[in-house]
Amino acid sequence: MSEAKTELTYREAIKAALREALQQDPRVFLMGEDVGHYGGCYAVSKGLLEEFGPERILDTPLSESGFVGAGIGAALGGMRPIVEVMTVNFSLLALDQIVNNAATLRHMSGGQVSVPLVIRMACGAGRQLAAQHSHSFEGWYAHIPGIKVLCPATVTDARYMLGQALADPDPVILFEHVMLYNRQESVADGPAAPMTQALVRRPGLTLSLFTWGGNLPKALAAAERLAEEGIEVEVVDLRCLRPLDKPSLLASLAKTHKALIVDEAWKQGGMSAEIAAFVAEEGFWLLDAPLARVCSAEVPIPYPAHLEQAALPSVERILAAARSLVANR
């Protein structure tokens, strides 16, 4: 693999993970819209059709319900399918398959069957894909028992989380933020941690910043600037939204006693609200100040670049929220 390189882009890391999975297990195959001849909407699977052939890199019709359902059937039959949904909004056309079949069949069969299915989705805003292709729906899927929800935010996680997901006997959804594909970082020799474990990306004692996916680079940039002001932010990358690593959240709060949640989804009914509710229920006495959230504006994501950026969490908005929290002693 190009794994011999000391650095990879996020895109290259996912491709390396796909190639490794296809090489190591003949039951693995990739299916989805334009994953073969076109090489994927974000060029993640470019070249894999020539390398592995059309029986393992399958271009599908434009029918998310159909090919996600086919992936579920293949998983029930003993295969290890990787289903790519081009963008997260298209997964709405497959909600019945995901929610009523993939997530429930182990329960409904009394444990007789499992669905070892991996679904990959591009998500998030920032590329001027406007109101219909810029969603952050990972919190919706985190609502559903029976599936695991992963949000790799680093190149190392992009490289190794897919393999961890394929080893799981139940359905796993990977959300790949579109603004991460071109990021280039050094890659570790193996997984950073079990896929369901949150990780502290920057230690600190002043406040805890909880985030995931495409907001991690913004959170780390804000933490760097706040450190110059004497505000030491502990940045916790949740990595997995279901199951949520609640002990890691509480452990960070026990050090800092302040919580800031950064979520690209809308505030009302979002994942940030779930985390805030958990902190209020189980970590209330650890808090020295009201918790705070930075989320997207309650509007469809605009197309014009300046309006899109104004609607999204930004480094400046994170800085303002953190300063306000620290001032509320």
Side-chain angles (χ1 to χ4, degrees), residues 104-114:
T104 62
L105 285 172
R106 176 183 289 280
H107 167 75
M108 293 176 66
S109 70
Q112 296 181 77
V113 301
S114 59

Side-chain angles (χ1 to χ4, degrees), residues 19-47:
R19 179 180 289 114
E20 181 180 72
L22 289 159
Q23 290 173 338
Q24 292 184 351
D25 190 341
R27 299 173 300 171
V28 172
F29 66 93
L30 173 68
M31 65 190 302
E33 297 161 347
D34 291 333
V35 299
H37 292 282
Y38 187 65
C41 181
Y42 293 95
V44 171
S45 55
K46 189 175 180 64

Side-chain angles (χ1 to χ4, degrees), residues 73-183:
L76 290 169
M79 302 296 283
R80 292 294 184 270
I82 303 169
V83 176
E84 178 178 313
V85 176
M86 186 180 291
T87 59
V88 65
N89 59 288
F90 291 138
S91 73
L92 302 180
L93 300 168
L95 268 180
D96 184 52
Q97 295 285 9
I98 297 169
V99 175
N100 282 329
N101 292 325
T104 62
L105 285 172
R106 176 183 289 280
H107 167 75
M108 293 176 66
S109 70
Q112 296 181 77
V113 301
S114 59
V115 185
L117 167 72
V118 174
I119 302 175
R120 296 175 42 246
M121 304 185 194
C123 68
R127 295 177 65 94
Q128 286 190 266
L129 297 177
Q132 292 185 326
H133 303 292
S134 302
H135 297 97
S136 296
F137 286 155
E138 61 271 18
W140 286 17
Y141 287 99
H143 179 65
I144 303 164
I147 60 176
K148 294 181 177 68
V149 175
L150 306 182
C151 299
T154 67
V155 173
T156 292
D157 276 351
R159 172 62 184 86
Y160 295 109
M161 270 188 164
L162 178 67
Q164 293 174 310
L166 283 166
D168 196 281
D170 294 308
V172 180
I173 303 179
L174 274 81
F175 288 88
E176 301 165 8
H177 198 286
V178 296
M179 296 304 292
L180 296 176
Y181 282 123
N182 292 330
R183 287 187 65 85

